[in-house]
Coordinates of all heavy atoms in Angstrom, one line a residue:
M1 N -6.2 -9.9 -8.6 CA -5.8 -10.8 -7.7 C -5.6 -10.3 -6.2 O -4.9 -9.3 -6.2 CB -4.5 -11.6 -8.1 CG -4.3 -12.8 -7.3 SD -2.9 -13.9 -7.9 CE -1.5 -12.7 -8.0
A2 N -6.2 -10.8 -5.3 CA -6.0 -10.4 -3.9 C -5.0 -11.0 -3.2 O -4.4 -12.2 -3.6 CB -7.3 -10.5 -3.2
H3 N -4.3 -10.3 -2.2 CA -3.3 -10.9 -1.5 C -3.8 -11.1 0.0 O -4.6 -10.2 0.4 CB -2.2 -10.0 -1.4 CG -1.6 -9.6 -2.9 ND1 -0.9 -10.5 -3.6 CD2 -1.8 -8.6 -3.7 CE1 -0.6 -10.0 -4.7 NE2 -1.3 -8.7 -4.7
Q4 N -3.3 -12.0 0.6 CA -3.8 -12.4 2.1 C -2.6 -12.6 3.0 O -1.5 -13.2 2.5 CB -4.5 -13.5 1.9 CG -5.1 -14.0 3.3 CD -6.2 -15.2 3.1 OE1 -7.2 -15.0 2.4 NE2 -5.8 -16.3 3.7
V5 N -2.6 -12.1 4.2 CA -1.6 -12.6 5.2 C -2.4 -13.0 6.4 O -3.3 -12.3 6.9 CB -0.8 -11.3 5.5 CG1 0.2 -11.5 6.8 CG2 0.2 -10.9 4.4
I6 N -1.9 -14.0 6.9 CA -2.5 -14.5 8.2 C -1.3 -14.4 9.2 O 0.0 -14.9 9.0 CB -2.9 -16.0 8.2 CG1 -4.0 -16.1 7.1 CG2 -3.5 -16.6 9.4 CD1 -4.4 -17.5 6.7
C7 N -1.6 -13.8 10.3 CA -0.5 -13.5 11.4 C 0.1 -14.7 11.9 O 1.2 -14.7 12.1 CB -1.2 -12.6 12.5 SG 0.1 -11.8 13.5
R8 N -0.7 -15.8 11.9 CA -0.1 -17.1 12.4 C 0.9 -17.6 11.5 O 1.9 -18.2 12.1 CB -1.3 -18.1 12.5 CG -1.1 -19.5 13.2 CD -2.3 -20.2 13.4 NE -3.3 -19.8 14.2 CZ -3.3 -19.7 15.4 NH1 -2.4 -20.1 16.2 NH2 -4.3 -19.0 16.2
D9 N 0.8 -17.3 10.3 CA 1.9 -17.8 9.3 C 3.2 -17.0 9.6 O 4.4 -17.5 9.1 CB 1.5 -17.5 7.9 CG 0.4 -18.4 7.4 OD1 0.1 -19.4 8.0 OD2 -0.3 -18.1 6.3
A10 N 3.2 -15.9 10.3 CA 4.4 -15.2 10.7 C 5.0 -15.8 12.1 O 5.9 -15.3 12.6 CB 4.2 -13.9 10.7
G11 N 4.3 -16.9 12.6 CA 4.8 -17.4 13.8 C 4.2 -17.0 15.0 O 4.6 -17.2 16.1
N12 N 3.0 -16.1 14.9 CA 2.4 -15.7 16.2 C 1.2 -16.5 16.5 O 0.6 -16.9 15.5 CB 2.1 -14.2 15.8 CG 3.2 -13.2 15.6 OD1 4.2 -13.3 16.2 ND2 3.2 -12.6 14.5
D13 N 0.8 -16.6 17.7 CA -0.2 -17.3 18.2 C -1.5 -16.2 18.0 O -1.9 -15.6 19.1 CB -0.2 -17.7 19.5 CG -1.4 -18.7 20.0 OD1 -2.1 -19.0 19.1 OD2 -1.4 -18.9 21.2
C14 N -2.1 -16.1 16.8 CA -2.8 -15.0 16.6 C -3.7 -15.2 15.5 O -3.3 -15.8 14.4 CB -2.0 -13.7 16.4 SG -3.0 -12.2 16.0
D15 N -5.0 -15.0 15.4 CA -5.9 -15.3 14.4 C -6.1 -14.1 13.4 O -7.1 -14.1 12.6 CB -7.2 -15.7 14.7 CG -7.0 -17.2 15.4 OD1 -6.3 -18.1 14.8 OD2 -7.6 -17.6 16.4
F16 N -5.4 -13.0 13.5 CA -5.5 -11.8 12.7 C -5.3 -12.3 11.2 O -4.3 -13.0 10.9 CB -4.5 -10.8 13.0 CG -4.5 -9.5 12.2 CD1 -5.5 -8.5 12.3 CD2 -3.5 -9.5 11.1 CE1 -5.3 -7.5 11.6 CE2 -3.4 -8.3 10.3 CZ -4.5 -7.3 10.5
M17 N -6.1 -11.8 10.5 CA -6.1 -12.1 9.0 C -6.5 -10.8 8.2 O -7.4 -10.2 8.6 CB -7.0 -13.3 8.6 CG -6.7 -13.8 7.1 SD -7.8 -13.0 5.9 CE -9.3 -14.0 6.1
V18 N -5.7 -10.4 7.1 CA -6.0 -9.2 6.3 C -5.8 -9.7 4.9 O -5.0 -10.5 4.4 CB -5.2 -8.2 6.8 CG1 -3.7 -8.3 6.6 CG2 -5.7 -6.7 6.0
R19 N -6.7 -9.1 4.2 CA -6.8 -9.5 2.7 C -7.1 -8.1 1.8 O -7.9 -7.3 2.3 CB -8.0 -10.3 2.5 CG -8.1 -11.0 1.1 CD -9.1 -12.0 1.2 NE -9.2 -12.7 -0.3 CZ -10.0 -13.7 -0.4 NH1 -10.8 -14.3 0.6 NH2 -10.1 -14.3 -1.7
S20 N -6.3 -8.0 0.8 CA -6.5 -6.7 0.1 C -6.0 -6.9 -1.4 O -5.1 -7.8 -1.6 CB -5.7 -5.6 0.7 OG -5.8 -4.5 -0.1
E21 N -6.6 -6.3 -2.3 CA -6.1 -6.1 -3.8 C -4.8 -5.4 -3.9 O -4.1 -5.6 -4.7 CB -7.3 -5.7 -4.5 CG -8.6 -6.2 -4.5 CD -8.7 -7.2 -5.7 OE1 -8.1 -7.1 -6.7 OE2 -9.5 -8.3 -5.5
N22 N -4.6 -4.5 -2.9 CA -3.5 -3.5 -2.8 C -2.4 -4.0 -2.1 O -2.5 -3.9 -0.8 CB -4.1 -2.1 -2.4 CG -3.0 -1.1 -2.4 OD1 -2.0 -1.3 -2.2 ND2 -3.4 0.3 -2.8
Q23 N -1.5 -4.5 -2.7 CA -0.3 -5.1 -1.9 C 0.4 -3.9 -0.9 O 0.7 -4.5 0.2 CB 0.8 -5.5 -2.8 CG 1.9 -6.3 -2.2 CD 2.9 -6.9 -3.3 OE1 2.4 -7.7 -4.0 NE2 4.1 -6.6 -3.2
D24 N 0.5 -2.8 -1.3 CA 1.2 -1.9 -0.5 C 0.3 -1.6 0.8 O 0.8 -1.5 1.9 CB 1.4 -0.6 -1.3 CG 2.5 -0.7 -2.2 OD1 3.3 -1.7 -2.2 OD2 2.6 0.1 -3.2
E25 N -0.9 -1.5 0.5 CA -1.9 -1.2 1.7 C -1.9 -2.4 2.7 O -1.9 -2.2 3.8 CB -3.3 -0.9 1.1 CG -4.4 -0.8 2.1 CD -5.7 -0.7 1.6 OE1 -6.4 -1.7 1.5 OE2 -6.2 0.5 1.1
L26 N -1.8 -3.6 2.0 CA -2.0 -4.8 2.9 C -0.7 -4.8 3.7 O -0.7 -5.1 5.1 CB -1.9 -6.0 2.0 CG -1.8 -7.4 2.6 CD1 -3.0 -7.6 3.4 CD2 -1.8 -8.5 1.6
I27 N 0.6 -4.5 3.2 CA 1.8 -4.6 3.9 C 1.8 -3.5 5.2 O 2.1 -3.8 6.2 CB 3.0 -4.2 3.0 CG1 3.2 -5.4 2.0 CG2 4.2 -4.0 3.8 CD1 4.2 -5.2 0.9
E28 N 1.2 -2.3 4.8 CA 1.1 -1.4 5.8 C 0.2 -1.8 7.0 O 0.5 -1.5 8.2 CB 0.6 0.0 5.4 CG 1.6 0.7 4.5 CD 3.0 0.8 5.2 OE1 2.9 1.3 6.4 OE2 4.0 0.4 4.8
M29 N -0.9 -2.5 6.6 CA -2.0 -2.9 7.6 C -1.3 -4.0 8.5 O -1.5 -4.0 9.7 CB -3.1 -3.5 7.0 CG -4.0 -2.4 6.4 SD -5.3 -3.0 5.2 CE -6.5 -3.8 6.3
V30 N -0.5 -5.0 7.8 CA 0.2 -5.9 8.6 C 1.2 -5.4 9.6 O 1.3 -5.7 10.8 CB 0.8 -7.0 7.7 CG1 1.6 -8.0 8.5 CG2 -0.2 -7.8 7.0
K31 N 2.0 -4.4 9.0 CA 3.1 -3.8 9.9 C 2.3 -3.1 11.1 O 2.9 -3.2 12.2 CB 3.8 -2.8 9.1 CG 4.9 -3.3 8.1 CD 5.6 -2.2 7.4 CE 6.6 -2.7 6.4 NZ 7.2 -1.6 5.7
M32 N 1.3 -2.5 10.9 CA 0.6 -1.7 11.9 C 0.1 -2.7 13.0 O 0.2 -2.5 14.2 CB -0.6 -1.0 11.4 CG -1.1 0.2 12.3 SD -2.4 1.1 11.3 CE -1.6 1.7 10.0
H33 N -0.6 -3.8 12.5 CA -1.0 -4.9 13.3 C 0.1 -5.4 14.3 O 0.0 -5.5 15.4 CB -1.7 -5.9 12.7 CG -2.0 -7.2 13.6 ND1 -3.0 -7.3 14.4 CD2 -1.3 -8.3 13.5 CE1 -2.9 -8.4 14.9 NE2 -1.9 -9.2 14.5
A34 N 1.2 -5.7 13.6 CA 2.3 -6.4 14.3 C 2.9 -5.5 15.4 O 3.2 -5.9 16.4 CB 3.5 -6.7 13.3
K35 N 2.9 -4.2 15.0 CA 3.5 -3.2 15.9 C 2.6 -3.0 17.2 O 3.0 -3.1 18.4 CB 3.7 -1.8 15.3 CG 4.4 -0.6 16.1 CD 5.7 -0.9 16.3 CE 6.2 0.3 17.2 NZ 5.8 0.1 18.7
E36 N 1.4 -2.7 16.9 CA 0.3 -2.5 17.9 C 0.0 -3.7 18.8 O -0.3 -3.6 20.0 CB -1.0 -1.9 17.3 CG -0.8 -0.5 16.7 CD -2.1 0.0 16.1 OE1 -3.0 -0.7 16.0 OE2 -1.9 1.3 15.8
T37 N -0.1 -4.9 18.2 CA -0.6 -6.1 18.9 C 0.6 -6.9 19.5 O 0.5 -7.4 20.5 CB -1.5 -7.0 17.9 OG1 -2.4 -6.2 17.4 CG2 -2.1 -8.1 18.7
H38 N 1.6 -6.9 18.7 CA 2.8 -7.9 19.1 C 4.2 -7.1 19.5 O 5.0 -7.7 19.8 CB 3.1 -8.9 18.1 CG 1.9 -9.6 17.7 ND1 1.3 -10.5 18.5 CD2 1.2 -9.6 16.4 CE1 0.2 -11.0 17.9 NE2 0.1 -10.4 16.6
D39 N 4.1 -5.7 19.3 CA 5.3 -5.0 19.4 C 6.4 -5.5 18.7 O 7.5 -5.6 19.2 CB 5.6 -4.8 21.0 CG 6.5 -3.6 21.4 OD1 6.3 -2.7 20.5 OD2 7.3 -3.7 22.3
L40 N 6.1 -5.8 17.4 CA 7.1 -6.4 16.5 C 7.1 -5.4 15.3 O 6.2 -4.9 14.8 CB 6.6 -7.7 16.0 CG 6.7 -8.9 17.0 CD1 6.1 -10.1 16.3 CD2 8.1 -9.3 17.4
M41 N 8.4 -5.1 14.8 CA 8.6 -4.3 13.7 C 9.0 -5.3 12.5 O 9.9 -5.8 12.4 CB 9.8 -3.5 13.8 CG 9.5 -2.4 15.0 SD 8.3 -1.2 14.5 CE 9.3 -0.1 13.4
Y42 N 7.9 -5.3 11.6 CA 8.1 -6.2 10.4 C 8.6 -5.3 9.2 O 8.1 -4.2 9.0 CB 7.0 -6.9 9.9 CG 6.6 -8.1 10.9 CD1 5.3 -8.6 10.8 CD2 7.4 -8.7 11.6 CE1 4.9 -9.6 11.7 CE2 7.1 -9.7 12.3 CZ 5.8 -10.2 12.4 OH 5.5 -11.3 13.2
S43 N 9.6 -5.9 8.4 CA 10.2 -5.2 7.2 C 9.1 -5.5 6.1 O 8.4 -6.5 6.2 CB 11.5 -5.6 6.9 OG 11.5 -6.9 6.5
T44 N 9.0 -4.9 5.0 CA 8.3 -5.1 3.9 C 8.6 -6.6 3.5 O 7.7 -7.4 3.1 CB 8.7 -4.1 2.8 OG1 8.2 -2.8 3.3 CG2 7.7 -4.5 1.5
D45 N 9.8 -6.9 3.4 CA 10.2 -8.4 3.0 C 9.7 -9.4 3.9 O 9.4 -10.4 3.5 CB 11.9 -8.5 2.9 CG 12.3 -7.8 1.6 OD1 11.5 -7.6 0.7 OD2 13.5 -7.6 1.5
D46 N 9.7 -9.0 5.3 CA 9.0 -10.0 6.2 C 7.6 -10.3 5.8 O 7.1 -11.3 5.8 CB 9.2 -9.3 7.7 CG 10.6 -9.2 8.2 OD1 11.4 -10.1 7.8 OD2 10.7 -8.5 9.1
V47 N 6.9 -9.2 5.6 CA 5.5 -9.3 5.3 C 5.3 -10.1 4.0 O 4.5 -11.1 3.9 CB 4.8 -8.0 5.1 CG1 3.3 -8.1 4.8 CG2 4.9 -7.2 6.5
K48 N 6.1 -9.7 2.9 CA 6.0 -10.6 1.6 C 6.3 -12.0 1.8 O 5.7 -12.8 1.1 CB 7.0 -9.8 0.7 CG 6.5 -8.5 0.0 CD 7.4 -8.0 -1.0 CE 6.8 -6.7 -1.6 NZ 8.0 -6.1 -2.5
G49 N 7.1 -12.2 2.8 CA 7.5 -13.6 3.0 C 6.3 -14.6 3.5 O 6.4 -15.7 3.2
V50 N 5.3 -14.0 4.1 CA 4.1 -14.7 4.5 C 2.9 -14.4 3.7 O 1.9 -14.9 4.1 CB 3.9 -14.6 6.1 CG1 5.2 -15.1 6.8 CG2 3.7 -12.9 6.4
M51 N 3.0 -13.6 2.7 CA 1.9 -13.1 1.8 C 1.5 -14.2 0.9 O 2.4 -14.8 0.3 CB 2.3 -11.9 1.2 CG 1.1 -11.3 0.3 SD 1.7 -9.9 -0.7 CE 2.1 -8.7 0.7
K52 N 0.2 -14.5 0.7 CA -0.2 -15.5 -0.2 C -1.3 -14.8 -1.1 O -1.9 -13.9 -0.8 CB -0.9 -16.6 0.5 CG 0.1 -17.5 1.3 CD -0.6 -18.5 2.1 CE 0.4 -19.3 2.9 NZ 0.0 -20.0 4.1
S53 N -1.4 -15.4 -2.4 CA -2.4 -14.9 -3.2 C -3.7 -15.6 -2.9 O -3.7 -16.7 -2.6 CB -2.0 -15.3 -4.7 OG -0.8 -14.7 -5.0
A54 N -4.8 -14.8 -2.9 CA -6.1 -15.4 -2.5 C -7.1 -14.9 -3.4 O -7.0 -13.9 -4.1 CB -6.5 -15.0 -1.1
Ligands
ZN101 ZN1 -1.3 -10.8 15.2

């Protein structure tokens, strides 16, 4: 089962979407995007909170 995170679901006006079978990899990709694009530091729990199964 794949996991998906849409940046907009985290409250950002942003169409970034990432999808991966690997949850840990997905979390790292979202954290990196949030830091580089929004200058936000998300915790693992923050990312899990907006993660959906896809
Ligand atoms: Zn974003």
Side-chain angles (χ1 to χ4, degrees):
M1 185 171 63
H3 305 285
Q4 179 176 301
V5 171
I6 302 170
C7 195
R8 192 175 296 279
D9 289 346
N12 299 306
D13 184 15
C14 174
D15 288 321
F16 175 82
M17 188 269 275
V18 62
R19 187 173 182 174
S20 176
E21 301 267 332
N22 184 324
Q23 181 173 303
D24 292 338
E25 180 184 88
L26 178 65
I27 289 168
E28 286 311 308
M29 287 167 76
V30 173
K31 284 182 179 177
M32 200 178 300
H33 165 78
K35 179 78 180 75
E36 291 181 353
T37 307
H38 305 295
D39 202 25
L40 293 170
M41 294 293 285
Y42 285 161
S43 69
T44 298
D45 284 343
D46 289 336
V47 179
K48 283 183 176 174
V50 294
M51 186 183 293
K52 287 174 181 160
S53 299

